[in-house]
């Protein structure tokens, strides 16, 4: 894969060279800022500590690169994001349709799956990165890779950027450094430090789109069990803080899967505020009365069976013994010996299987970051700081995060476009 930059030496770089805009961070948001600013005739440079652009992008969609989601951008689409209203302007300027056309117009064939998720036809994220790099080169965007920004400050009409290799000057700066997730890709929270130096409020960064660690010891016995079409709710001190429908996967540390990933940001930002419980409803299509009638029917039709065998019609086999222990009912008990109270307990357990949260997984095991630069201090029409003229933000460094399915990358591409078009 030839997507690394050639080293920039002193021979082809003038130490007093000035740029119209310098972008810190060569992820999707930073690269799109650079592409669209350069297409408007701006002299652009991008700095990144990695040896290649879009290092984190290579990991998305398990290497297949889930670029966006093609569902209609409406209220439901916006609700997939924390601070989704902030993104309305960005999506109106550069939508999922615009992104789809951008890549296809640049000879990257795309496909849409049944969940409206968009991938390159090749299902290879390297192909996406190669296209982005080709466009950057074509627009003569200067890339300073394998360089770490040490300091950023404003001096009169210019920004001064000090890296571990050189000093640079620019009229405008875009901070597109990402969050703190997958720190091995360079996302170490640098942008939060730079933004706070200029007086921006930073909403505490926490892991999102990650698994949740559970306190109950029996959870280890459920590792590998996958639940489909369940309703999962999170409660902080008995107050609901989130709810998701979908798949749940039991792991060695607790729970994961799409429904848990989408719920994890709500849990993360409430860690330390009190007791957090996860409630799994195994039968969300049934209310208590209907489920009780079904259980009675199962008992009537299987009166001579023992309880653990009866539940094969109700739960995955690997879950049954732990479920019955949780309900404190003997799994060897004959079903025709169940009391009305025991039946009530079983129904309640099926609808309200309670787990205690220990914590969410750390940043190195989370897909995105919740928190970042406060959206109230950024102009949503331009991505320019409301505090410092000429300072812009794009991508995950902003306090926006979305659910799984391509939403986070769309936000990066759209905010990057807006910053590039308004610099």
């Amino acid at each position: 894969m030839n997507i690394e930059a050639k080293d920039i030496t002193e021979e082809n770089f003038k130490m007093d060279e000035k740029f119209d805009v310098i972008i810190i961070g060569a992820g999707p948001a930073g690269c799109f800022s650079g592409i669209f600013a350069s297409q408007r005739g701006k002299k652009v440079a991008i700095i990144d500590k990695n040896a290649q652009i879009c290092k984190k992008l290579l990991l998305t969609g398990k290497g297949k690169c889930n670029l966006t989601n093609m569902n209609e951008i409406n209220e439901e689409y916006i609700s997939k994001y924390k601070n989704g209203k902030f993104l309305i302007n960005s999506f109106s300027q550069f939508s999922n349709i615009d992104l789809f056309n951008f890549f296809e117009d640049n000879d990257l064939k795309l496909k849409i799956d049944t969940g409206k998720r968009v991938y390159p036809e090749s299902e290879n994220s390297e192909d996406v990165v190669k296209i982005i790099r080709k466009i950057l080169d074509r627009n003569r965007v200067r890339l300073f890779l394998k360089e770490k920004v040490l300091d950023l400050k404003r001096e009169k009409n210019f920004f001064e950027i000090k890296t571990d290799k050189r000093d640079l000057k620019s009229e405008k700066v875009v901070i597109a450094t990402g969050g703190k997730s997958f720190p091995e890709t360079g996302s170490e929270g640098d942008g939060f430090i730079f933004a706070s130096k200029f007086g921006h409020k930073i909403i505490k960064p926490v892991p999102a789109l990650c698994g949740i660690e559970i306190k109950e010891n029996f959870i280890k016995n459920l590792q590998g069990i996958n639940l489909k079409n369940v309703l999962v709710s999170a409660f902080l001190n008995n107050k609901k803080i989130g709810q998701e429908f979908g798949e749940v996967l039991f792991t060695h540390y607790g729970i994961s899967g799409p429904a848990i990933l989408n719920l994890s940001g709500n849990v993360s930002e409430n860690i330390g505020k009190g007791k957090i419980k996860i409630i799994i409803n195994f039968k969300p299509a049934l209310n208590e009365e209907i489920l009780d009638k079904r259980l009675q029917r199962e008992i009537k039709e299987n009166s001579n069976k023992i309880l653990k065998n009866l539940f094969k019609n109700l739960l995955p086999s690997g879950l049954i013994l732990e479920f019955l222990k949780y309900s404190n009912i003997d799994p060897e008990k004959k079903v025709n010996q169940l009391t009305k109270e025991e039946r009530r307990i079983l129904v309640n357990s099926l609808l309200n299987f309670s787990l205690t949260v220990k914590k969410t997984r750390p940043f190195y095991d989370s897909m995105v970051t919740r928190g970042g630069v406060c959206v109230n201090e950024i102009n949503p029409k331009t991505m320019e700081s409301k505090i410092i003229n000429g300072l812009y933000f794009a991508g995950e460094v902003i306090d926006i995060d979305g659910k799984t399915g391509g939403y986070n990358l769309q936000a990066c591409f759209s905010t990057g476009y807006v910053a590039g078009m308004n610099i």
Side-chain angles (χ1 to χ4, degrees):
M1 180 175 60
N2 185 25
I3 54 177
E4 293 194 5
K6 295 178 181 177
D7 288 339
I8 294 174
T9 64
E10 301 305 327
E11 285 75 28
N12 58 21
F13 171 71
K14 299 176 182 177
M15 293 304 291
D16 60 350
E17 188 174 2
K18 292 185 177 69
F19 293 89
D20 296 319
V21 56
I22 287 178
I23 300 159
I24 306 174
C31 287
F32 263 48
S33 296
I35 287 169
F36 289 99
S38 62
Q39 286 182 357
R40 294 171 50 239
K42 303 293 183 180
K43 187 177 181 181
V44 180
I46 301 178
I47 309 170
D48 196 281
K49 63 180 70 170
N50 292 304
Q52 62 186 45
I53 66 167
C54 298
K55 188 172 181 180
K56 187 177 176 182
L57 184 70
L58 291 168
L59 305 176
T60 60
K62 297 178 180 178
K64 296 179 182 179
C65 199
N66 181 191
L67 284 166
T68 186
N69 191 293
M70 291 304 289
N71 279 310
E72 180 185 356
I73 297 180
N74 52 22
E75 283 188 25
E76 183 180 355
Y77 196 101
I78 295 300
S79 72
K80 303 287 186 184
Y81 297 88
K82 181 194 176 187
N83 292 324
K85 289 183 179 179
F86 174 81
L87 292 167
I88 292 174
N89 270 290
S90 293
F91 291 158
S92 67
Q93 292 183 57
F94 193 79
S95 69
N96 48 6
I97 296 172
D98 294 323
L99 182 67
F100 191 98
N101 292 336
F102 171 86
F103 280 113
E104 289 233 319
D105 290 345
N106 283 283
D107 301 320
L108 182 70
K109 295 298 180 184
L110 303 176
K111 64 178 183 179
I112 306 173
D113 72 5
T114 53
K116 295 293 184 75
R117 294 177 290 260
V118 177
Y119 297 90
E121 271 190 3
S122 64
E123 294 190 348
N124 189 342
S125 57
E126 292 182 6
D127 293 338
V128 179
V129 178
K130 285 177 182 177
I131 289 290
I132 294 173
R133 177 61 196 270
K134 181 179 177 181
I135 299 168
L136 289 169
D137 291 343
R138 188 169 67 219
N139 286 284
R140 298 185 177 180
V141 174
R142 185 72 68 85
L143 294 174
F144 295 98
L145 301 184
K146 294 188 285 187
E147 288 199 32
K148 180 178 174 61
V149 176
L150 302 177
D151 193 25
L152 170 65
K153 58 185 179 181
R154 178 90 181 194
E155 292 291 340
K156 296 182 180 178
N157 297 325
F158 285 92
F159 288 93
E160 292 185 355
I161 299 97
K162 182 179 182 61
T163 78
D164 54 358
K165 294 183 180 179
R166 70 191 86 245
D167 296 330
L168 298 164
K169 286 188 177 181
S170 176
E171 292 182 10
K172 308 287 178 69
V173 165
V174 180
I175 296 177
T177 50
K180 297 184 75 172
S181 301
F182 287 126
E184 69 272 18
T185 65
S187 298
E188 299 174 306
D190 297 352
F192 305 143
I193 297 171
F194 300 142
S196 62
K197 274 188 62 176
F198 286 110
H200 276 276
K201 180 181 179 181
I202 306 300
I203 307 303
K204 181 184 176 182
V206 295
L209 294 189
C210 60
I212 297 175
E213 298 185 18
I214 298 299
K215 289 184 178 180
E216 282 79 10
N217 289 327
F218 69 76
I219 208 78
K220 296 175 183 177
N221 300 327
L222 304 179
Q223 183 177 350
I225 295 173
N226 192 46
L227 304 173
K228 293 187 177 181
N229 302 319
V230 296
L231 186 67
V232 191
S233 305
F235 290 84
L236 171 66
N237 300 328
N238 297 317
K239 181 180 179 181
K240 187 183 287 186
I241 56 173
Q243 184 170 281
E244 293 291 334
F245 177 83
E247 291 187 37
V248 172
L249 175 67
F250 289 99
T251 70
H252 65 285
Y253 59 77
I255 45 179
S256 187
I260 299 302
L261 297 181
N262 287 333
L263 195 62
S264 61
N266 296 37
V267 173
S268 276
E269 61 188 2
N270 284 288
I271 295 292
K273 296 181 181 179
K275 191 174 186 179
I276 303 178
K277 287 279 189 180
I278 298 293
I279 306 296
I280 301 176
N281 182 343
F282 295 110
K283 304 294 177 184
L286 307 176
N287 61 27
E288 190 172 336
E289 181 182 354
I290 294 172
L291 183 56
D292 184 48
K293 286 180 179 179
R294 177 179 171 182
L295 190 56
Q296 288 183 60
R297 187 173 68 250
E298 293 280 356
I299 291 169
K300 186 177 180 180
E301 293 173 357
N302 302 277
S303 60
N304 292 320
K305 283 187 176 181
I306 57 175
L307 192 56
K308 67 180 181 182
N309 291 336
L310 175 76
F311 262 77
K312 289 178 181 178
N313 297 329
L314 295 166
L315 291 172
S317 58
L319 178 59
I320 293 171
L321 285 179
E322 293 299 340
F323 173 84
L324 292 173
K325 286 180 187 177
Y326 167 91
S327 302
N328 201 27
I329 299 176
D330 182 5
E332 303 295 330
K333 189 169 189 172
K334 285 280 189 75
V335 296
N336 57 15
Q337 295 176 351
L338 277 175
T339 66
K340 185 177 179 180
E341 175 62 16
E342 286 173 329
R343 199 176 72 236
R344 185 196 66 78
I345 291 171
L346 290 170
V347 168
N348 184 65
S349 296
L350 284 167
L351 298 177
N352 301 281
F353 190 75
S354 178
L355 300 169
T356 310
V357 172
K358 184 190 296 182
K359 60 182 178 179
T360 49
R361 295 294 286 167
F363 280 115
Y364 71 76
D365 203 18
S366 67
M367 297 182 194
V368 298
T369 302
R370 171 161 294 193
V373 182
C374 180
V375 296
N376 296 333
E377 298 172 352
I378 302 170
N379 184 337
K381 295 180 181 179
T382 63
M383 294 297 123
E384 186 174 15
S385 165
K386 293 180 179 179
I387 298 174
I388 302 292
N389 291 338
L391 181 65
Y392 295 74
F393 298 94
E396 199 180 333
V397 71
I398 304 170
D399 183 25
I400 47 173
D401 65 276
K403 295 184 178 181
T404 57
Y407 296 100
N408 286 289
L409 272 180
Q410 180 64 52
C412 288
F413 288 124
S414 291
T415 54
Y417 171 90
V418 171
M421 292 298 290
N422 287 279
I423 292 168

